[in-house]
C-alpha cells in the first residue's frame, strides 16, 4: 500500500478523509438516462467495482458511502476487495426509512436500520429524502429524529444525518441531537446546493461535528482538479470529501489530486488533451504522471 491517506475520527471511528462515493458505480450520473445506463453496463457486476475499490484501498482510502439495502452485487464486490487487500472497508450507510408517525412505520424503519447493521455499517445516516420530511423550519427543530437516532445506537452503529438541506446541520446542533457527523452537498459550482456556497461554507465551519461533503465535482460539471482542490482547501481538517469514480484510472487521478491539494503542491498527473495548449505551455509543472 502507498502512504496512508490522511484520516479523521468520527465518534472514535477512524475514517479516511476521502470517502468512496458510489453514484458512478451504481448508475446515478445526475446527467442523463443514457449516462446512468453507461455506468450500470460498465460497473454493474462485481468485477469492475472490485477493481475500483482495490484502487482506493491501495491508497489508504478505506471508507465508503453507499445505501447498502438491496445492493447484493455491491456488497459482494466490497467483500472480495476486502479479502484481496486484507483490510476492512468502513461502511457509511444511508438507508431510506419510513418516517410516518405510526407503529407499523416505526417497525419498518427499525427493520431497515437493523439490516444496515447486519450489512456491517459502522455509521448509519438516514437518507436526506427521509429526514427532510420531519423538518419544521419555523420551530427550528426535527421532531422524532431522536427516535431513529436511538434505533441506530441500539444496533451498535454511530448515528449521523444526511443533510442536503443546510438547515438540518444548524437545527441538529441547536437541539443537541445525537448526531456524530453530517452529509452536506458542497461544490464550487453550487450544484444542487439549496443556498449560496458561502452560506454552506459557514455552516460546515460552524458544525459541531465532522462533515462529509458530497458532489465536490458537481456530478462532472467541473474538473477533478478544480472540484477537489476547492473542496479540500475550504473545509476543516476534521471533514471529509466523498468522491465518485467511473474507472480505476479516474480513482488514481482523483486520489493524487486530493493528496496534492492537502499537501499544497501541483498534482503529478498526465495533462489532459487540449488544442489550446501551445509548445510554450507544454513544460510540465505536474511532475511524473500517475499510472
Amino acid at each position: 500500500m502507498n502512504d496512508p491517506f490522511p484520516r479523521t475520527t468520527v465518534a472514535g471511528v477512524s475514517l479516511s478523509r476521502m470517502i468512496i462515493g458510489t453514484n458512478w458505480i451504481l448508475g446515478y450520473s445526475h446527467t442523463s438516462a443514457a449516462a446512468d445506463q453507461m455506468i450500470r453496463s460498465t460497473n454493474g457486476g462485481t468485477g469492475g467495482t472490485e477493481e475500483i475499490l482495490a484502487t482506493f484501498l491501495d491508497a489508504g482510502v478505506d471508507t465508503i458511502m453507499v445505501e447498502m439495502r438491496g445492493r447484493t452485487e455491491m456488497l459482494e464486490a466490497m467483500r472480495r476487495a476486502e479479502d484481496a487487500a486484507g483490510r476492512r472497508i468502513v461502511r457509511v450507510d444511508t438507508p431510506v426509512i419510513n418516517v410516518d408517525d405510526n407503529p407499523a412505520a416505526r417497525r419498518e424503519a427499525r427493520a431497515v436500520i437493523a439490516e444496515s447493521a447486519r450489512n456491517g455499517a459502522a455509521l448509519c445516516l438516514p437518507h436526506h429524502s427521509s429526514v427532510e420530511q420531519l423538518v419544521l423550519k419555523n420551530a427550528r427543530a426535527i421532531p422524532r429524529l431522536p427516535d431513529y437516532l436511538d434505533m441506530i445506537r441500539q444496533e451498535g452503529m454511530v448515528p449521523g444525518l444526511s443533510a442536503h438541506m443546510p438547515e438540518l446541520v444548524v437545527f441538529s446542533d441547536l437541539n443537541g441531537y445525537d448526531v456524530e457527523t453530517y452529509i452536506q452537498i458542497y461544490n464550487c459550482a453550487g450544484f444542487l446546493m439549496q443556498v449560496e456556497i458561502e452560506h454552506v461554507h459557514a455552516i460546515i465551519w460552524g458544525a459541531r461535528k465532522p462533515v462529509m461533503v458530497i458532489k465536490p465535482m458537481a456530478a462532472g460539471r467541473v474538473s477533478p482538479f478544480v472540484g477537489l482542490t476547492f473542496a479540500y482547501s475550504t473545509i476543516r481538517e476534521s471533514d471529509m470529501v466523498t468522491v465518485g469514480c467511473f474507472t480505476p484510472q479516474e480513482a488514481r487521478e482523483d486520489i493524487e489530486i486530493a493528496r496534492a491539494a492537502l499537501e499544497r503542491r501541483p498534482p503529478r498527473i498526465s495533462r489532459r488533451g487540449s488544442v489550446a495548449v501551445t509548445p510554450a505551455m507544454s513544460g510540465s509543472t505536474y511532475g511524473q504522471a500517475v499510472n
Side-chain angles (χ1 to χ4, degrees), residues 181-203:
T181 185
Y182 301 99
I183 294 171
Q184 178 59 57
I185 298 175
Y186 184 62
N187 55 74
C188 63
F191 175 69
L192 288 184
M193 294 169 62
Q194 298 182 16
V195 294
E196 290 85 352
I197 299 167
E198 294 87 345
H199 291 305
V200 176
H201 176 263
I203 287 170

Side-chain angles (χ1 to χ4, degrees), residues 125 160-163 168-170 172-173 177 179-184 207-213 240:
L125 288 69
L161 189 60
S162 179
L168 267 67
V169 178
V170 178
S172 179
D173 283 348
Y177 296 139
V179 172
E180 298 286 0
T181 185
Y182 301 99
I183 294 171
Q184 178 59 57
R208 295 180 180 177
K209 299 295 173 64
V211 176
M212 303 173 177
V213 303
M240 297 143 277

